[in-house]
Amino acid sequence: MENVTIVGTESGVLVLATESGERFSLPIDDVLHREIRRATRQSEPSAQRLAASPRDIQAQIRAGLTAAEVAELLGIDVDDVIRFEGPVLAEREHVIGQALAVPVLIGSEVEPDAQPTFGTAIRAKLADVQATDERWASWKEDRSWIIKLEFSANEVDHDARWSFDPRRSALSPSTRTRRSSPAKAPSPKV
């Protein structure tokens, strides 16, 4: 493998050159910044690691990670994460409440005085199938929120997800696959 050195910067890219004079450009973007931070953290002894900012910690909690997962990811003590997770957990719980309150139309059952909400409709369906262990979770993924419902019915575990835009009070079934979300997202009770 041939080594490269940094020659300079031009228009938001690093200009690199090999020992033989071949030149390359590397975009200076979020991925590069993240990889530099990760490499720096890995090379520092744990006692000398820099503390993560509250904003970094809260962004990871908002993305659905647990305090232990954030601590491991950022290389900090779990107590440092716990100090900053409360407001974000409350936000995630609030988002679930907002989603459950979204008015929905169910088939032709439109009653002018009583428009059911998403939460009412879902809980009616859960009662119809005698569901147990209802667990709701939410996390922010890209620019929208994911609302997750886990439950058991007829001895089968189920996982349903919706994309939610709180500004528009819009819910739609999520077609996204599990990417960065945790295997079991923290489950605030609603």
Side-chain angles (χ1 to χ4, degrees):
M1 180 180 345
E2 194 172 358
N3 288 328
V4 296
T5 56
I6 298 173
V7 176
T9 59
E10 292 177 9
S11 304
V13 298
L14 283 177
V15 178
L16 309 170
T18 64
E19 294 168 352
S20 62
E22 193 174 0
R23 294 171 64 100
F24 298 93
S25 65
L26 178 65
I28 302 171
D29 58 9
D30 291 338
V31 174
L32 178 62
H33 287 287
R34 183 176 59 239
E35 291 302 317
I36 290 170
R37 282 193 302 270
R38 188 168 57 132
T40 303
R41 272 196 308 274
Q42 290 173 348
S43 67
E44 295 175 348
S46 58
Q48 295 177 353
R49 288 187 182 166
L50 299 173
S53 74
R55 174 180 239 148
D56 290 340
I57 292 168
Q58 290 181 330
Q60 297 301 329
I61 296 292
R62 191 171 285 110
L65 298 180
T66 66
E69 292 168 331
V70 173
E72 183 179 335
L73 176 71
L74 298 178
I76 59 176
D77 190 62
V78 75
D79 290 334
D80 292 334
V81 176
I82 292 170
R83 287 183 26 213
F84 300 108
E85 76 175 342
V88 179
L89 293 177
E91 175 187 25
R92 289 173 52 193
E93 216 170 304
H94 177 71
V95 168
I96 293 169
Q98 286 181 298
L100 293 174
V102 170
V104 295
L105 297 176
I106 303 174
S108 61
E109 304 171 16
V110 179
E111 298 176 21
D113 295 333
Q115 189 173 14
T117 64
F118 174 68
T120 304
I122 290 292
R123 288 197 173 112
K125 295 293 182 186
L126 292 173
D128 288 347
V129 297
Q130 299 176 345
T132 58
D133 301 323
E134 175 185 340
R135 295 171 309 281
W136 290 91
S138 70
W139 62 88
K140 195 158 191 177
E141 193 171 276
D142 298 324
R143 289 188 169 93
S144 66
W145 285 88
I146 300 298
I147 304 298
K148 175 181 173 180
L149 168 62
E150 292 179 313
F151 64 95
S152 298
N154 299 319
E155 299 180 23
V156 176
D157 292 332
H158 298 272
D159 177 322
R161 296 169 190 226
W162 296 266
S163 292
F164 177 53
D165 180 348
R167 290 186 202 163
R168 295 183 10 224
S169 292
L171 277 162
S172 61
S174 179
T175 57
R176 297 179 189 190
T177 57
R178 222 177 281 184
R179 246 188 349 153
S180 59
S181 63
K184 272 223 176 226
S187 324
K189 296 286 183 192
V190 175

